[in-house]
Amino acid sequence: MFGNLCLLAFGLGADAFAVSACKGLACPKVTLREAGIVAAWFGGFQAAMLLGGLWLGVLFGGVVQSLDHWIAFTLLALIGLNMVDEAIRGESQCRGAFDAGDMLVLAVATSIDAMAAGVTLVWQDAPHAVAVGVVGVAAAAMSAVGIFLGRSVGSLLGRWAQLAGGACLFWIGLKILLTHTGII
């Protein structure tokens, strides 16, 4: 059972890792404090949304799963397109990138699937408190690694990395949408 929870946590944390890496691409420097902010937002929201999904699963089940992919796609596509636009205009996406508003949008966008997963956990034997903890810790750790990895690549490639990061965010959102609608 714990192995399945770890796989779930890794799968859910993959979006947070990818978005953190994209965020790091746009920043020539990332401090430990900023990595901690990213880890807290993503890990906290993954855990909270999984818990919310458990609660919603008891109440509404299928309604959440029918909308999650549209919300994630819209948020990630808008952020990604904004990054591409700023890269083309030569502006830095990193400016103010760790403020609460920016982090809230990214944390919600990357944790919508955790809510949907929480809905499905209602009918499984997994210990819910352990699942919430494992998912939160995994997303936090993966986000911290992602932002430093992205920063390393971003400092080498500059504006091109920001452009690629924006395109990747758009692609992640599109992939979520296409996967959940059954197109791919």
Side-chain angles (χ1 to χ4, degrees), residues 18-184:
V19 171
S20 296
C22 291
K23 195 164 199 45
L25 286 171
C27 297
K29 182 180 180 208
V30 176
T31 66
L32 283 175
R33 179 183 174 278
E34 292 165 337
I37 290 169
V38 169
W41 275 97
F42 288 140
F45 264 79
Q46 287 283 342
M49 295 290 258
L50 186 73
L51 185 60
L54 285 163
W55 180 72
L56 288 173
V58 171
L59 299 176
F60 303 111
V63 174
V64 173
Q65 289 180 311
S66 68
L67 297 175
D68 66 343
H69 51 283
W70 288 103
I71 296 167
F73 166 71
T74 301
L75 294 174
L76 290 172
L78 289 173
I79 295 164
L81 291 173
N82 185 55
M83 274 181 80
V84 168
D85 180 56
E86 288 185 357
I88 290 169
R89 290 184 296 155
E91 297 177 10
S92 173
Q93 179 73 22
C94 197
R95 168 187 35 77
F98 300 98
D99 66 6
D102 186 52
M103 291 307 304
L104 176 64
V105 170
L106 290 172
V108 168
T110 58
S111 61
I112 294 288
D113 56 347
M115 182 181 290
V119 170
T120 67
L121 282 178
V122 169
W123 299 285
Q124 296 179 19
D125 292 332
H128 297 159
V130 173
V132 169
V134 168
V135 165
V137 168
M142 291 172 74
S143 298
V145 169
I147 196 154
F148 281 117
L149 183 64
R151 179 205 39 118
S152 297
V153 172
S155 62
L156 295 173
L157 302 176
R159 196 168 89 173
W160 291 104
Q162 184 175 342
L163 187 64
C168 285
L169 286 180
F170 182 84
W171 173 248
I172 291 167
L174 184 61
K175 185 176 181 285
I176 289 169
L177 179 66
L178 296 176
T179 301
H180 285 211
T181 56
I183 295 172
I184 60 169

